[in-house]
Amino acid sequence: MRRRLLIALTVFAALAVLAFAIPLSLTAATSRTQELVLGRSGDADRFATLADAAGSAGGVQALAAEVGRYHELYGENVLVVDARGAPIVNAGVEVSDPRIRAAVASARRNQRPQQVDRLMPWSAPVMLIARPVGTGVQVNGAVVIEASTAAARATIARVWAVIAVGGLAAMVVFVLLALVLSRWVLRPLAAMSDAVAELTATLPKPRGRAPITKNYGGPPEVRDLAESVDAMATAVADSVDAQHQLVADTAHAMRNPLAALMIRLDSLEYAVPGQASATFRGATAEGERLTALLDDLLELAVAQAPASFGTAASAEERCDPAQVVADRIDAWASAFDDAEMRLTTALRPEGSVSAMSTSSAPPGNGEGRGNHSAAAISSAALAQILDVALSNSCRYAGSGAHTVVGVREEPGWVTVRVADDGTGVAPDELGKLTTRFFRGSTATAGGTGLGLSIAQALATAWGATLTVEAVRPHGLAVTVRVPVVAR
């Protein structure tokens, strides 16, 4: 993978260098070519001016002297002809050359031969520069210069060499950076891939789950890592399912022996001596507590893995949340009376701001029920969630507390809220209340710390959400938000 990444980075770097070097080289060649053409064109214009003024023998001699000095100084051949094309001054030009004859003919027709736009290091060694003698109305001859391109081509070659060396240096730097970058990026990936592969080799094979990485693209190393992570995730999911099943099986298997033990303890009640009655009552209380703990564990396992027990959420199952709330308040009314607490209900249909009715007496006669939509949850599951919230409120809110159960509908959702103004819990313990076996510091004796965990698992299984929040100035609220059934 490192080799492929390095090749890709090198290709990108080469393209970037070429995209910069080629235009720069062409620009340098064009600039040097224009410099040569402009310089020699100026010389040809000067000779044309001198030739146009050379009307006498003395003028021709002055022109010949000037052309001769130019030929000696620059080593370039110059030809000056009259209006008939006869040579007046010739400094090394081969008149019979077809290129020279074509240039002279074009200049006599007041035309300038097409010049080379850009010289290259391998271009022709000579460039022809031709100019007419006289004005545009009357042409009295022509001037042709065989301009040498050697110096210009040498300059262009040097510039190109400098650009090439700079490009190669940039490529070396880019390759070194690519090596460092590839090592920095791929070293932890390789280490993680090896570690995941070793861990995956020790995990049990997935149970019938097809890997989802078979359609993945990318380098083989990344695909192997994705497959290893997928296999590990599948094995972890299988392990979680097995743990849930183990909890359910263990709790279910222990209930029968524990029930038999409790029956035996009950049968021994009348045979226990008086001095051992306190110990007997303590043993019976611990047995009852263990029975409640196993029941909670079994409910939690069922709630977390509903499909394994045939209780998965179904689109056909629904309930009237107001009816469920009314039934549960009716069932818990006596318990709250015994605890010297007040239990009321507040039902609100969609869009309402204030409660439709609030009853200080335990409702059960249908009062205070709004026209609510059906909730996408079974009545048994919602009742079990409310039982957990009402049980906690009745047990821990404290004497004299007021508990209100509210139902409120909003677009797509029904919210059921159980709130009290009791002692509440410490702020740092609020987020831990749905943790298994956690009990607040202000909780009284009794309980297993699994109630809210079971309620949250049930809510999640039905696509609902359960939140626990503090009530101002004091108290606690449990809110379950359930999707409604589409009308």
Side-chain angles (χ1 to χ4, degrees):
M1 181 176 178
R2 178 179 299 173
R3 183 176 63 256
R4 289 188 293 271
L5 179 60
L6 185 60
I7 291 175
L9 292 177
T10 303
V11 170
F12 290 150
L15 292 177
V17 170
L18 290 176
F20 174 77
I22 291 177
L24 182 61
S25 301
L26 296 178
T27 301
T30 302
S31 176
R32 185 65 183 87
T33 302
Q34 291 176 352
E35 180 183 353
L36 174 64
V37 170
L38 290 176
R40 295 304 181 266
S41 297
D43 295 336
D45 290 337
R46 183 167 60 88
F47 290 142
T49 302
L50 292 177
D52 191 37
S56 60
V60 172
Q61 292 179 354
L63 175 62
E66 186 70 20
V67 170
R69 285 194 299 270
Y70 180 87
H71 177 67
E72 293 177 359
L73 179 62
Y74 294 104
E76 296 178 350
N77 302 328
V78 180
L79 173 66
V80 181
V81 299
D82 58 14
R84 294 172 299 176
I88 299 176
V89 177
N90 186 357
V93 177
E94 182 64 36
V95 179
S96 61
D97 188 344
R99 296 175 62 249
I100 299 297
R101 295 174 63 181
V104 169
S106 297
R108 290 175 59 199
R109 292 194 299 269
N110 201 19
Q111 297 175 352
R112 298 186 181 186
Q114 185 177 2
Q115 304 297 332
V116 178
D117 294 333
R118 184 185 300 114
L119 290 174
M120 300 294 181
W122 54 84
S123 295
V126 174
M127 175 188 299
L128 295 181
I129 305 295
R131 289 291 184 273
V133 175
T135 63
V137 177
Q138 180 179 358
V139 177
N140 299 322
V143 177
V144 178
I145 298 178
E146 289 183 333
S148 174
T149 60
R153 288 186 290 111
T155 301
I156 293 172
R158 286 195 300 271
V159 173
W160 282 19
V162 172
I163 294 175
V165 171
L168 290 176
M171 282 297 301
V172 171
V173 173
F174 287 151
V175 170
L176 293 178
L177 290 177
L179 283 172
V180 174
L181 180 62
S182 62
R183 290 179 180 177
W184 178 67
V185 171
L186 298 180
R187 183 178 298 172
L189 179 62
M192 183 175 65
S193 179
D194 295 339
V196 171
E198 292 177 2
L199 178 60
T200 305
T202 63
L203 296 175
K205 299 300 181 182
R207 299 179 302 179
R209 287 187 173 92
I212 62 174
T213 56
K214 58 184 179 181
N215 295 326
Y216 282 3
E221 294 84 355
V222 175
R223 292 199 301 269
D224 293 341
L225 177 60
E227 292 174 359
S228 298
V229 171
D230 183 35
M232 182 174 63
T234 304
V236 170
D238 289 341
S239 176
V240 172
D241 292 342
Q243 290 179 7
H244 292 165
Q245 190 67 42
L246 177 62
V247 171
D249 293 342
T250 302
H252 188 271
M254 291 181 64
R255 291 182 70 185
N256 292 335
L258 184 59
L261 178 60
M262 294 302 298
I263 292 174
R264 290 178 181 272
L265 286 177
D266 290 341
S267 64
L268 292 176
E269 182 177 2
Y270 299 102
V272 175
Q275 63 272 21
S277 59
T279 303
F280 176 79
R281 287 192 299 272
T284 302
E286 291 298 326
E288 293 174 349
R289 183 174 180 275
L290 182 57
T291 301
L293 178 60
L294 290 178
D295 290 340
D296 287 347
L297 284 175
L298 185 58
E299 290 180 1
L300 179 61
V302 173
Q304 288 183 329
S308 302
F309 297 89
T311 58
S314 172
E316 288 76 19
E317 294 186 86
R318 62 186 69 184
C319 70
D320 182 0
Q323 179 64 51
V324 175
V325 167
D327 292 341
R328 300 327 298 157
I329 290 180
D330 187 39
W332 281 91
S334 59
F336 274 79
D337 289 340
D338 294 340
E340 298 181 350
M341 297 175 58
R342 194 157 59 99
L343 178 61
T344 62
T345 179
L347 307 180
R348 289 189 289 178
E350 182 177 5
S352 65
V353 177
S354 59
M356 285 184 62
S357 68
T358 302
S359 174
S360 59
N365 54 0
E367 293 180 0
R369 299 177 191 170
N371 184 20
H372 290 274
S373 299
I377 187 173
S378 68
S379 58
L382 182 57
Q384 190 172 357
I385 295 173
L386 291 177
D387 283 343
V388 171
L390 291 171
S391 175
N392 286 347
S393 180
C394 182
R395 183 178 296 177
Y396 304 122
S399 178
H402 179 202
T403 300
V404 179
V405 183
V407 179
R408 184 178 185 275
E409 183 178 347
E410 57 188 75
W413 298 89
V414 172
T415 301
V416 182
R417 188 170 186 263
V418 180
D420 62 62
D421 57 359
T423 56
V425 297
D428 58 336
E429 297 178 347
L430 193 62
K432 304 176 184 178
L433 293 179
T434 55
T435 305
R436 299 176 190 175
F437 303 107
F438 178 81
R439 302 181 73 247
S441 57
T442 59
T444 58
T448 59
L450 289 174
L452 286 176
S453 299
I454 296 172
Q456 187 178 54
L458 279 172
T460 302
W462 286 92
T465 58
L466 184 140
T467 56
V468 183
E469 56 187 352
V471 175
R472 303 301 177 191
H474 53 80
L476 195 68
V478 177
T479 303
V480 57
R481 193 165 177 259
V482 187
V484 301
V485 177
R487 298 175 179 175

